[in-house]
């Protein structure tokens, strides 16, 4: 194990006992990133010189025994959509005017308060509206497991960076699966907490911020920092006193629903079905009761959300001049134009389907304590594709398992549960009741302990 393979807790212990300094750690990581980045293009505004300065300052604090917080000296990336003061937020698109952000978004502010080394932003597709590494602004981001394949999205760069070992912690955003979907396709752990648990600015229906990491422990460790409330998020939850590292759980007697059909969208591939069924047996062996459950999503719900989201994005881009609007990735631009002719009544009807999703999810959780499902319905797809269908008329056929839990505001995670015959990771989604973020983290950690987690990560290509 190299220094850069340590968990956050192990690294912090090394900082405290002075067997490793934040600067030494960063320099080792900088070399590692240099070996990977030309192949996967995960980063935006990567600034190793600024990272060295931050690491030096952290080293001085640790030498005096005065770290700012639990993440002092820990290298972290933030998804490009999460504002950092003085830097532009292009939202993955050439259409955006590049203006420096006036302030750090809540996640960035909390990380700085605790002394984290923010060394880069990570890539995303136009307006975060694709599950892909394809963007009109950023270089094409690729999957470290196979660079001909897509990392998913919209937290594309964050997932690629985590899988490639660019440090222990990467922060993404998720409005329909954008943390969990790429986590599933890259083999990492992605956690979408209860809505408002990690404040977001701007906040929106279903929009969450969440940690992405190779290990459950590192994601859980970050939550004490990230979950501090922020007035800028009107849905921000009250302060919590959780011990985020209390990850032990006895699953005996827990009733867990196994959902193998999303209700609509792409069919689940056989390799994924087998891997998820096998994962469920681990919980059953440990004493949980596994029951088959029906989908919570319907075609009407997904189509209604499609209608609403088209209108929402068209409202954002309708006033752009022709040159700017034409610079948007055609897949997204063509999709958004469909919102131009939708009436206000139909847009509201589309929005109302988010309420139907919430009701459907709530009904299911009167019968079960947690839900297991595939994260993604398919194993992989080409890096150059805009989505798993690559068809703007069918843009959301892959989010059937993930998007309902955004609208119901429930915590959900993706964790690796095996590999396909082609060597690509397969994700297991674990969903818990609203506000019970600890249950999802504990069930995830139990599964990781039972299986041993991912034992061998991709290595930088030899150039």
């Amino acid at each position: 194990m190299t220094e850069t393979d340590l968990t956050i807790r192990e690294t912090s212990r090394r900082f405290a006992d002075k067997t490793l300094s934040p600067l030494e750690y960063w320099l080792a990581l900088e070399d590692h990133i240099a070996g990977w980045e030309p192949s996967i293009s995960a980063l935006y505004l990567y600034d190793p010189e600024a990272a060295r300065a931050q690491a030096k300052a952290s080293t001085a604090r640790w030498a005096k025994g005065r770290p700012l917080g639990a993440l002092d000296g820990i290298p972290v990336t933030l998804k490009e959509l999460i504002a950092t003061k003085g830097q532009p937020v292009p939202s993955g698109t050439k259409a955006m005017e590049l203006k420096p952000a006036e302030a750090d978004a809540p996640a960035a502010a909390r990380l700085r308060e605790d002394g984290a080394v923010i060394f880069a932003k990570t890539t995303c597709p136009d307006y975060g509206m694709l599950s892909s590494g394809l963007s009109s602004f950023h270089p094409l981001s690729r999957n470290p497991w196979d660079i001909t394949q897509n990392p998913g999205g919209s937290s594309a760069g964050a997932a690629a960076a985590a899988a490639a070992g660019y440090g222990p912690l990467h922060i993404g955003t998720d409005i329909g699966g954008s943390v969990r979907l790429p986590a599933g396709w890259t083999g990492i752990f992605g956690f979408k907490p209860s809505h408002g648990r990690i404040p977001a600015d701007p906040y929106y229906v279903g929009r969450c911020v969440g940690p992405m990491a190779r290990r459950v422990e590192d994601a859980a460790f970050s939550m004490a920092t990230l979950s501090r409330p922020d007035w800028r998020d009107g849905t921000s939850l009250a302060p919590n006193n959780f011990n985020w590292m209390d990850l032990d759980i006895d699953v005996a007697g827990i009733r867990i629903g196994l959902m193998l059909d999303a209700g609509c969208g792409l069919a689940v591939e056989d390799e994924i079905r087998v891997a998820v069924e096998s994962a469920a047996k681990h919980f059953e062996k440990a004493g949980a009761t596994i029951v088959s459950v029906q989908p919570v999503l319907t075609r009407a719900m997904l189509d209604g959300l499609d209608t609403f989201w088209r209108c929402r994005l068209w409202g954002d881009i309708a006033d752009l001049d022709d040159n700017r609007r034409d610079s948007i990735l055609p897949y997204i631009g063509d999709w958004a134009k469909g919102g131009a002719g939708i009436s206000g009544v139909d847009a509201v009807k589309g929005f109302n389907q988010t309420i139907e999703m919430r009701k459907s999810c709530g009904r299911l959780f009167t019968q079960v304590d947690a839900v297991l499902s595939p994260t993604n319905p398919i194993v992989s797809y080409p890096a150059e594709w805009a989505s798993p269908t690559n068809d703007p008329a069918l843009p959301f056929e892959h989010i059937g398992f993930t998007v309902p839990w955004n609208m119901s505001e429930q915590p959900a995670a993706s964790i690796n549960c095996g590999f396909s015959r082609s060597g690509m990771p397969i994700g297991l989604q674990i969903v818990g009741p609203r506000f019970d973020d600890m249950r999802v983290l504990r069930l995830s950690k139990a599964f990781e302990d039972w299986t041993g987690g991912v034992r061998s990560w991709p290595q930088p290509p030899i150039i």
Side-chain angles (χ1 to χ4, degrees):
M1 176 184 289
T2 66
E3 290 157 346
T4 56
D5 290 325
L6 299 172
T7 66
I8 294 174
R9 280 205 294 186
E10 290 167 342
T11 302
S12 295
R13 288 194 202 107
R14 296 279 305 273
F15 292 167
D17 67 22
K18 299 181 175 58
T19 59
L20 179 68
S21 75
L23 181 58
E24 290 169 334
Y25 181 93
W26 168 254
L27 292 174
L29 187 59
E30 189 177 317
D31 288 343
H32 180 80
I33 293 170
W36 262 119
E37 186 60 9
S39 299
I40 62 172
S41 299
L43 304 181
Y44 171 61
L45 296 179
Y46 176 44
D47 191 344
E49 184 175 345
R52 284 180 228 128
Q54 293 177 67
K56 285 179 182 176
S58 177
T59 296
R61 292 191 293 268
W62 278 104
K64 296 174 183 176
R66 298 177 187 171
L68 290 177
L71 294 174
D72 203 328
I74 301 299
V76 180
T77 68
L78 288 156
K79 186 176 180 178
E80 182 248 274
L81 297 177
I82 300 172
T84 45
K85 185 177 180 179
Q87 296 178 322
V89 184
S91 298
T93 180
K94 287 181 178 178
M96 191 68 70
E97 186 177 352
L98 298 182
K99 296 180 180 179
E102 295 182 359
D104 284 335
R110 300 297 86 78
L111 291 167
R112 287 200 208 278
E113 289 166 2
D114 277 11
V117 175
I118 300 175
F119 66 90
K121 310 294 282 291
T122 51
T123 61
C124 69
D126 292 55
Y127 299 101
M129 288 306 300
L130 295 176
S131 194
S132 175
L134 184 64
S135 160
S136 67
F137 180 84
H138 299 294
L140 178 64
S141 298
R142 297 175 179 272
N143 195 322
W145 291 94
D146 180 346
I147 62 173
T148 72
Q149 298 300 291
N150 211 296
S154 62
S155 303
Y166 287 20
L169 183 61
H170 308 272
I171 311 303
T173 64
D174 188 319
I175 197 170
S178 288
V179 161
R180 289 156 292 155
L181 292 165
W185 277 311
T186 58
I188 65 168
F189 179 69
F191 179 49
K192 183 202 79 68
S194 297
H195 190 88
R197 181 69 69 199
I198 298 175
D201 180 31
Y203 66 93
Y204 200 76
V205 175
R207 186 171 190 251
C208 296
V209 176
M212 305 172 74
R214 284 182 170 185
R215 302 175 183 87
V216 176
E217 177 185 305
D218 286 335
F221 192 95
S222 73
M223 288 298 296
T225 296
L226 295 169
S227 67
R228 295 200 290 268
D230 193 293
W231 68 268
R232 291 173 289 176
D233 185 343
T235 67
S236 180
L237 298 182
N240 66 77
N241 60 356
F242 303 158
N243 176 1
W244 289 98
M245 298 307 289
D246 179 11
L247 296 174
D248 292 335
I249 189 171
D250 181 359
V251 304
I254 293 178
R255 187 175 174 85
I256 299 178
L258 178 60
M259 184 184 297
L260 295 172
D261 177 5
C264 57
L266 294 172
V268 175
E269 292 180 346
D270 290 343
E271 288 182 278
I272 293 175
R273 181 182 297 274
V274 168
V276 171
E277 288 175 334
S278 178
K281 290 176 182 176
H282 284 280
F283 290 91
E284 189 172 46
K285 185 177 179 181
T289 299
I290 305 295
V291 295
S292 295
V293 296
Q294 295 302 304
V296 290
L297 190 70
T298 66
R299 185 80 251 173
M301 292 176 191
L302 190 60
D303 288 348
L305 186 65
D306 185 353
T307 296
F308 172 61
W309 275 351
R310 285 178 195 252
C311 292
R312 172 177 172 257
L313 185 53
W314 181 250
D316 290 340
I317 68 174
D319 292 335
L320 294 177
D321 63 47
D322 289 345
N323 287 337
R324 285 195 177 276
R325 197 160 58 235
D326 289 346
S327 70
I328 297 170
L329 193 75
Y331 184 105
I332 288 295
D334 292 346
W335 170 79
K337 286 175 186 175
I342 294 171
S343 71
V345 170
D346 285 340
V348 171
K349 287 180 178 178
F351 174 80
N352 286 344
Q353 290 299 323
T354 69
I355 308 301
E356 294 304 311
M357 287 187 214
R358 180 190 289 262
K359 288 164 59 178
S360 184
C361 294
R363 188 180 305 115
L364 174 58
F365 267 79
T366 65
Q367 305 165 27
V368 297
D369 303 306
V371 167
L372 303 178
S373 79
T375 304
N376 313 295
I378 67 170
V379 165
S380 189
Y381 58 103
E384 295 79 10
W385 283 18
S387 76
T389 63
N390 208 33
D391 182 350
L394 298 170
F396 300 129
E397 301 303 292
H398 57 288
I399 66 173
F401 287 111
T402 54
V403 71
W405 315 112
N406 291 79
M407 302 309 147
S408 68
E409 303 187 357
Q410 293 175 234
S414 179
I415 189 167
N416 178 258
C417 66
F419 291 84
S420 69
R421 288 184 294 274
S422 62
M424 300 304 291
I426 295 172
L428 168 72
Q429 183 175 227
I430 302 175
V431 186
R434 193 170 176 225
F435 306 132
D436 201 350
D437 303 74
M438 291 304 305
R439 183 178 303 185
V440 172
L441 289 170
R442 286 167 176 159
L443 291 173
S444 300
K445 183 61 164 62
F447 182 74
E448 185 180 67
D449 288 344
W450 296 330
T451 63
V454 177
R455 293 180 175 85
S456 180
W457 292 93
Q459 296 301 307
I462 297 173
I463 299 175

